[in-house]
Amino acid sequence: MSWGTELWDQFDNLDKHTQWGIDFLERYAKFVKERLDIEQNYAKQLRTLVKKYCPKRSKDEEPRFTSCLSFYSVLNELNDYAGQREVVAEEMTHKVYGELMRYSQDLKAERKHHLQEGRKAQQHLDHCWKLMENSKRKFERECKEAEKSQITFDRLDNDINATKSEVEKAKAQFYLRTHMADESKNEYAAQLQNFNGEQWKHFNNAIPHIFKNLQDMDDRRTVKLGETYRSFAEAERRVLPIISKCLEGMVSAAKAVDMRRDSAIVVESFKSGFEPPGDFPFEDFSQNLSRTGSDGTISNTPKGDRDREGPPPSRTDPKHPMSRTKNKLWLFGKKPKWSVKMAPSLEDFSHLPPEQRRKRLQQRIDELSRELQKEIDQRDALNKMKDVYEKNPQMGDPTSLQPKISETMCNMEKLRSEIHKNETWLSEVEGKQSSRGDRRHSADNHHHTPIGRESPEGSYTDDTSQEHQTPQQRPSPPKPGQPHPDMHEFDDEFDDDDPLPVIGHCKALYSFDGQNEGTLVMAEDEVLYVIEEDKGDGWTRARKQNGGEGYVPTSYVEITMERNSKGAVTYI
């Protein structure tokens, strides 16, 4: 329906309606602006959240658990999701909000122009109506004056007392008023005809044309709103495939969580390579007691034999600090403050358990190999450049590359030496791990041989004077059947509350029971910290990784002293 024909008399209402349409469009634009602000803030908060929970450590220090890796994958997908929200906000900014604001300005200018044309047409019609009204009122006045002059003429003409001059004067006045009335009538008729013509043009041409333009403008505004509604939805729809991929990636990350693999990684990360400790031997403190006469029994051990067996083992003093801490493992409880001191980090990682040492050595070898390959590539590139310079001297001096080539060769030699050294340590670790089963069997036999008849190598002999010595021909440590140093001397050295500093580390070549007071039980291949070196009596003071301290036979361990410690000696 056309506004010009149906709403010809509703100029003011159409003025209000078109203004409401522009206000509604701007209100929708404001809604879009707030929506895209929400999208931008949402994306920003998502990125902040991802950054907060993303790992800040290097890749080598990151856990390899599938649950952690899946969580990091979820974070990456969430970061991509945040990027898509930013895309939505950008699309709304350019294709919806920006377009609406530009179109609103155009609508305001067009509406103003059409309304000005309508007001001008209305003003012109009002002017024509005023002219017509003025001529009408003039014609009315002239007619009344003409009627009065006629009445006056007729009265004087019938009055016998009136003079002729009075009658002639009244007659002339009558003719004049009649003539002026006729002119006013003609003018009024002309103005009326003109007004009717202008009014017809106004309501049949000018106003319909103006209202049609306003209707077209309003129709375009309505269509534009529909298009922006569609663009608003399309901005969201375009990113749905990528958002779906992000969500699928999160689901795939969730499916990648593998509890068995995580458990295997825990074992691989913390496996030490040590064997579980053996059973503790029974300490019989009643073997040196003699029966009294009232019991009717006598000691079964002759006095001479008892003398040859050596002095009885010292009783455990419950007040002695070493007695209170001996053989404690602290698997779950709180460790004493002196037990948490870490061993110094050594170049060959010998302070680590065998399995962890093997992994660290292998990791270092891989890193050195990569550095060596880089140096080899650099050497090859320099040699090629040198050949080019030799063939084309104008491109450069070949001798200028020789210092760099020499430096690269030197670096390669250093890296090869480091790789060889680490491979030697790795071979040592792998060799000992492969032969652990055989040595464990030998250690079991050593544990069950009679006391005083075993050597560090586990050989047995009936004659203590012919005991088999170690490969280095070092004397074995004193046995319970032989004279041994007074262990109370060892106990006195543990009275100090401050723990002794670590001066080196040692590895057990053989297992040691440590039945006497002040000694330390150790298993084969166990790594201990050296806190006091051998003073010539064949005993070295060591500390376990769980904090226990005591003396171990020097010939039973392989000792490596720290370089900066005084009197550093390595026993092989």
Side-chain angles (χ1 to χ4, degrees):
M1 299 180 69
S2 174
W3 289 7
T5 57
E6 301 294 335
L7 304 175
W8 59 270
D9 58 344
Q10 300 296 322
F11 182 85
D12 293 337
N13 288 330
L14 291 181
D15 182 6
K16 296 177 181 179
H17 173 73
T18 52
Q19 182 61 44
W20 171 86
I22 294 176
D23 292 341
F24 181 79
L25 184 140
E26 291 182 343
R27 184 183 179 189
Y28 175 65
K30 183 178 179 181
F31 161 78
V32 175
K33 180 66 169 61
E34 293 181 1
R35 168 64 190 279
L36 65 90
D37 288 341
I38 291 174
E39 290 288 347
Q40 290 174 346
N41 293 332
Y42 179 48
K44 182 179 179 180
Q45 291 176 0
L46 285 179
R47 290 193 182 277
T48 303
L49 181 66
V50 171
K51 184 178 180 181
K52 177 180 178 181
Y53 286 93
C54 271
K56 298 179 177 60
R57 297 175 291 179
S58 62
K59 293 184 179 180
D60 296 336
E61 297 177 354
E62 283 305 311
R64 297 166 293 162
F65 300 109
T66 58
S67 57
C68 295
L69 297 177
S70 296
F71 176 63
Y72 297 150
S73 299
V74 170
L75 290 179
N76 291 333
E77 297 295 343
L78 187 61
N79 190 60
D80 295 341
Y81 177 81
Q84 295 307 307
R85 304 319 307 178
E86 291 176 346
V87 171
V88 171
E90 186 177 356
E91 290 279 335
M92 290 182 179
T93 301
H94 296 291
K95 294 187 177 181
V96 181
Y97 178 73
E99 186 67 22
L100 285 173
M101 295 307 296
R102 288 191 297 270
Y103 193 72
S104 175
Q105 298 299 324
D106 295 341
L107 281 181
K108 289 180 179 180
E110 183 179 357
R111 173 180 174 274
K112 181 179 180 180
H113 174 70
H114 294 323
L115 292 179
Q116 285 178 348
E117 288 184 348
R119 291 189 180 94
K120 287 181 180 179
Q122 186 66 38
Q123 289 174 357
H124 177 68
L125 182 63
D126 292 342
H127 178 69
C128 292
W129 178 83
K130 288 180 180 179
L131 293 177
M132 186 268 297
E133 281 292 322
N134 292 334
S135 63
K136 178 181 177 182
R137 286 193 292 268
K138 182 180 180 181
F139 173 60
E140 183 181 5
R141 288 194 305 270
E142 293 298 332
C143 288
K144 289 180 179 180
E145 292 294 332
E147 289 178 358
K148 290 180 181 179
S149 63
Q150 183 180 2
I151 293 172
T152 302
F153 172 71
D154 292 340
R155 181 176 58 81
L156 292 176
D157 188 40
N158 295 325
D159 189 2
I160 59 175
N161 297 321
T163 63
K164 184 177 180 179
S165 61
E166 291 178 349
V167 173
E168 291 295 331
K169 184 179 180 181
K171 183 178 180 181
Q173 186 68 25
F174 168 69
Y175 287 153
L176 177 63
R177 291 296 180 181
T178 302
H179 177 72
M180 291 178 65
D182 291 339
E183 288 181 354
S184 297
K185 180 180 179 180
N186 293 333
E187 183 181 357
Y188 168 63
Q191 292 295 336
L192 179 62
Q193 184 179 3
N194 179 64
F195 173 75
N196 289 332
E198 292 296 331
Q199 181 176 257
W200 187 91
K201 292 179 182 179
H202 178 78
F203 290 109
N204 291 277
N205 292 330
I207 290 298
H209 177 70
I210 294 171
F211 282 9
K212 183 177 183 300
N213 292 336
L214 289 175
Q215 183 180 8
D216 293 341
M217 180 194 72
D218 194 69
D219 291 343
R220 292 197 306 272
R221 176 191 63 83
T222 304
V223 172
K224 193 67 175 180
L225 282 173
E227 292 177 353
T228 53
Y229 294 161
R230 187 180 300 106
S231 300
F232 185 85
E234 288 294 333
E236 189 81 26
R237 180 183 294 177
R238 289 190 189 95
V239 300
L240 284 180
I242 302 178
I243 290 178
S244 299
K245 290 183 180 179
C246 294
L247 298 177
E248 291 174 1
M250 295 181 185
V251 174
S252 301
K255 293 179 180 179
V257 177
D258 188 352
M259 62 178 181
R260 293 186 178 87
R261 184 177 177 185
D262 285 358
S263 298
I265 292 175
V266 173
V267 174
E268 180 183 356
S269 300
F270 302 111
K271 181 180 178 182
S272 65
F274 291 137
E275 296 293 337
D279 296 337
F280 278 76
F282 175 75
E283 299 182 16
D284 188 2
F285 297 100
S286 63
Q287 60 182 352
N288 296 308
L289 296 178
S290 59
R291 298 296 181 179
T292 61
S294 60
D295 295 335
T297 59
I298 60 174
S299 176
N300 294 327
T301 305
K303 182 178 180 181
D305 294 341
R306 290 199 303 270
D307 294 339
R308 287 193 300 271
E309 290 176 1
S314 302
R315 291 181 178 271
T316 303
D317 185 3
K319 297 182 180 180
H320 201 283
M322 190 60 192
S323 301
R324 296 195 300 268
T325 59
K326 181 181 178 182
N327 297 332
K328 287 188 178 180
L329 298 179
W330 291 292
L331 290 178
F332 304 101
K334 183 178 179 181
K335 296 183 179 181
K337 63 179 183 179
W338 50 268
S339 65
V340 297
K341 288 190 175 182
M342 301 299 294
S345 179
L346 302 176
E347 184 182 7
D348 60 351
F349 302 113
S350 57
H351 62 288
L352 297 176
E355 184 67 21
Q356 302 300 323
R357 182 187 180 192
R358 182 188 66 78
K359 294 177 182 177
R360 294 293 295 274
L361 288 172
Q362 186 62 52
Q363 182 181 0
R364 180 187 286 175
I365 290 173
D366 295 340
E367 294 175 355
L368 292 174
S369 298
R370 288 192 292 268
E371 293 179 6
L372 178 61
Q373 185 61 42
K374 291 180 181 177
E375 295 293 336
I376 293 175
D377 295 341
Q378 184 176 0
R379 180 203 60 185
D380 295 342
L382 290 172
N383 287 331
K384 290 181 180 179
M385 188 180 297
K386 182 179 179 181
D387 293 340
V388 172
Y389 286 175
E390 290 176 350
K391 295 178 180 178
N392 302 286
Q394 67 275 9
M395 297 182 66
D397 185 9
T399 58
S400 62
L401 300 176
Q402 192 59 40
K404 188 63 177 178
I405 295 176
S406 301
E407 180 183 354
T408 303
M409 296 296 292
C410 182
N411 293 337
M412 290 170 56
E413 291 300 325
K414 290 180 180 179
L415 290 172
R416 287 194 179 101
S417 176
E418 287 293 325
I419 292 174
H420 177 71
K421 180 170 61 174
N422 284 272
E423 286 178 346
T424 302
W425 290 334
L426 181 62
S427 300
E428 175 188 351
V429 174
E430 292 177 345
K432 288 196 175 185
Q433 286 183 339
S434 63
S435 61
R436 183 179 300 280
D438 298 336
R439 292 207 308 270
R440 183 182 178 187
H441 177 71
S442 175
D444 292 340
N445 294 336
H446 161 74
H447 178 71
H448 294 288
T449 53
I451 298 177
R453 302 300 185 187
E454 53 182 329
S455 69
E457 294 291 326
S459 59
Y460 174 77
T461 177
D462 292 335
D463 188 0
T464 58
S465 63
Q466 299 295 327
E467 286 181 350
H468 183 69
Q469 304 294 327
T470 61
Q472 290 76 21
Q473 298 300 321
R474 293 199 304 269
S476 302
K479 298 295 184 290
Q482 298 175 347
H484 57 83
D486 185 7
M487 293 304 167
H488 289 288
E489 297 178 0
F490 299 159
D491 295 342
D492 295 337
E493 297 179 11
F494 290 96
D495 292 336
D496 191 4
D497 292 338
D498 295 330
L500 295 175
V502 176
I503 61 175
H505 68 282
C506 63
K507 182 187 296 184
L509 300 175
Y510 318 99
S511 61
F512 178 66
D513 295 335
Q515 295 181 354
N516 295 319
E517 185 65 29
T519 59
L520 190 64
V521 178
M522 64 179 181
E524 184 181 2
D525 286 340
E526 185 177 4
V527 176
L528 308 174
Y529 305 142
V530 177
I531 58 177
E532 183 178 322
E533 59 183 330
D534 189 354
K535 297 181 179 180
D537 55 359
W539 295 88
T540 298
R541 189 173 177 181
R543 178 186 298 152
K544 281 196 171 188
Q545 295 185 3
N546 61 18
E549 294 183 3
Y551 285 88
V552 296
T554 305
S555 59
Y556 274 42
V557 294
E558 177 183 354
I559 302 176
T560 301
M561 305 298 290
E562 293 294 326
R563 294 180 180 179
N564 56 357
S565 63
K566 189 178 290 186
V569 161
T570 301
Y571 295 90
I572 301 177

